[in-house]
Amino acid sequence: MNEYDSMRMIDTLRESHRLEITADLAAADVLILNTCSVREKAQDKVFSQLGRWRELKEQRPELIIGVGGCVASQEGRQILERAPYVDIIFGPQTLHRLPALIDETIRTRQPSVSIDFPEIEKFDNLPPPQIDNVSAYVSVMEGCSKYCTFCVVPYTRGEEFSRPFDDVVEEIVNLSEQGVREVTLLGQNVNGYRGRMHNGRIVDFALLLLYVSEIDGIDRIRYTTSHPFEFNDSLIEAYAELPKLVSHVHLPVQSGSDRILGAMKRQYTAAQYILLAKRLREKRPNISISSDFIVGFPGETDEDFAATMQLIEQVRFDQSFSFLYSARPGTPASTLSDDVPQQIKQRRLALLQARINELGRDISNRMIGTEQRILVDRPAKKNPSQLSGRTENNRVVNFDGPRGLMGRFVDVEITMALPNSLRGRYLGCESTVSNYLPPQKSILAKPSPIS
Ligand code: SAM
């Protein structure tokens, strides 16, 4: 989400002030730090980075320093107490005001602050995204109203709101006209999407997927991050009916203990999550499931952690983003005693990560000898004479092939599985790239939470 927001800042400043991105700090007129406050560590990094920029500002007082994102949203003017040389403070929902904030700070020579949550105004005021890749992010809903007890997001990004349906579809049509082949639909709880159509009808995420898969040129659809509570029957059915929807889902579970899930206010049990994974696999037997975990939530016992490890065995996750619990100011959980000793938290995290890495490696090894379709999106990192693309289940494949394959879907045979990537042998490139099959029946059903 932050990467997406950063790209929108670049788009807007390119249009308003003809600013271009530079890797050379000394050449920059404006420095912007887009921040995350989901864990304390990310928040701490903000002030160390600002400390490094202070000297530049002393040398060049006309340099404009901005802080955006969730730390800006949470701390507001207080940032100026620790870093008085910051000129602009803006939140995730006010990034479209960046041009006006820059003008204001130049005019008044005072810091400008704008951290409210004006909802849809942002999208009405941002220029259309400029894309130079075959893969693009599209924000479909913003904010979060789940209020999980550990999470700061509702307080920094505001309440959940969905972008109008037609606006999202139009944006993706425009992207496809710029050559985009793969879209990743974004939202904090993206499957909680409830968008208004031009006729006033409110529709769910599965219907949005159906429309997106009808757009010519868009051949692969991903989304992140979905919430298990919002995973309704129509979305499960979409895996049977929409071949453009990749065989990978990122579905944060956080814990396998019902007691902890209840204390986190996640609104599902471990058994409901396991059932959901099973139903998805019935529709897409090869679907790979990745997840987020928090270890060491207040009161987490050895039994609770064992339940998480048991859930991992049952679901057989492919990848994880897993974190030590970090108390965030203003969240309900921050009033609980952070009572799991650091050493135990770290040991549990290491066990969990080791097991999920093992499961992921098994999946990679089983891919050896299979044919995979990848979207070629860049030269390989380590050996730029090779090409690189991603499989449906989000693995990087590096292979030897002609440059002309850049931006195209190609088939490769997987020849080797390395810890962070796969090697492949080029088999062929689609002449007509679309593998789209029209849906046979409507997937629109009344949204219902998992039961
Ligand atoms: N909306 C998604 C959900 O909860 O289903 C995830 C959004 S959150 C920005 C990304 C991940 O950060 C969460 O899934 C969680 O694992 C982690 N996270 C959030 N708050 C945390 C905290 N206080 N301590 C540790 N990890 C945290």
Side-chain angles (χ1 to χ4, degrees), residues 36-40 144 146 148-153 157 187-190 225-228 250-254 266 268 291-295 297 321-328 331 333:
C36 172
S37 65
V38 86
R39 283 171 296 280
E40 197 177 359
C144 183
K146 291 281 178 293
C148 298
T149 57
F150 55 81
C151 191
V152 78
V153 169
R157 285 187 173 268
Q188 291 297 328
N189 300 297
V190 70
T225 296
S226 55
H227 192 294
H250 185 70
L251 192 56
V253 64
Q254 314 299 0
R266 289 293 291 180
Y268 53 83
S291 201
D292 290 353
F293 295 86
I294 296 177
V295 300
F297 185 81
F321 294 101
S322 36
F323 312 100
L324 300 178
Y325 169 72
S326 159
R328 305 311 295 126
T331 59

Side-chain angles (χ1 to χ4, degrees), residues 16 29 41 47 85 122 124 133 147 170 187 251 259-260 262 284 306-307 371 375 398 405 426 434 436:
S16 66
D29 300 303
K41 211 166 150 188
F47 289 99
Y85 46 90
K122 172 165 102 180
D124 287 343
N133 202 325
Y147 291 95
E170 191 186 323
L251 192 56
R259 208 176 62 80
I260 298 294
R284 278 285 176 95
E371 199 177 309
L375 177 57
N398 297 320
L405 296 179
Y426 174 57
S434 175
Y436 173 61

Side-chain angles (χ1 to χ4, degrees), residues 222-409:
R222 301 182 186 274
Y223 59 82
T224 198
T225 296
S226 55
H227 192 294
F229 180 74
E230 300 280 5
F231 226 101
N232 64 16
D233 292 346
S234 3
L235 185 52
I236 296 174
E237 195 55 34
Y239 283 89
E241 300 193 358
L242 303 179
K244 292 184 181 182
L245 190 55
V246 293
S247 292
H248 171 231
V249 62
H250 185 70
L251 192 56
V253 64
Q254 314 299 0
S255 169
S257 153
D258 288 344
R259 208 176 62 80
I260 298 294
L261 288 171
M264 289 176 165
K265 198 162 133 333
R266 289 293 291 180
Q267 306 181 74
Y268 53 83
T269 62
Q272 285 171 329
Y273 187 95
I274 290 165
L275 178 65
L276 176 55
K278 181 169 167 275
R279 292 182 64 202
L280 281 168
R281 288 200 167 114
E282 279 163 11
K283 302 292 175 193
R284 278 285 176 95
N286 64 343
I287 195 165
S288 93
I289 304 178
S290 57
S291 201
D292 290 353
F293 295 86
I294 296 177
V295 300
F297 185 81
E300 186 188 71
T301 62
D302 283 345
E303 289 71 42
D304 293 319
F305 179 66
T308 300
M309 293 302 282
Q310 211 177 343
L311 177 128
I312 291 170
E313 291 311 314
Q314 283 174 280
V315 178
R316 304 190 78 76
F317 292 100
D318 186 5
Q319 274 177 340
S320 78
F321 294 101
S322 36
F323 312 100
L324 300 178
Y325 169 72
S326 159
R328 305 311 295 126
T331 59
S334 68
T335 61
L336 304 172
S337 144
D338 191 357
D339 54 358
V340 181
Q342 191 67 6
Q343 242 183 337
I344 294 185
K345 280 187 188 171
Q346 263 156 353
R347 191 164 51 83
R348 288 179 186 163
L349 185 67
L351 283 171
L352 181 149
Q353 290 180 336
R355 184 59 189 136
I356 294 183
N357 287 345
E358 220 167 66
L359 292 169
R361 263 198 311 276
D362 279 357
I363 296 175
S364 293
N365 285 333
R366 270 186 276 127
M367 289 171 78
I368 296 174
T370 63
E371 199 177 309
Q372 300 286 330
R373 177 150 300 172
I374 61 172
L375 177 57
V376 183
D377 60 355
R378 66 194 67 197
K381 265 195 190 144
K382 286 197 183 141
N383 176 0
S385 71
Q386 288 191 323
L387 294 173
S388 181
R390 277 179 189 273
T391 59
E392 283 204 26
N393 64 353
N394 221 13
R395 278 168 172 69
V396 172
V397 181
N398 297 320
F399 69 104
D400 290 308
R403 286 273 122 181
L405 296 179
M406 195 71 87
R408 305 184 74 177
F409 282 95

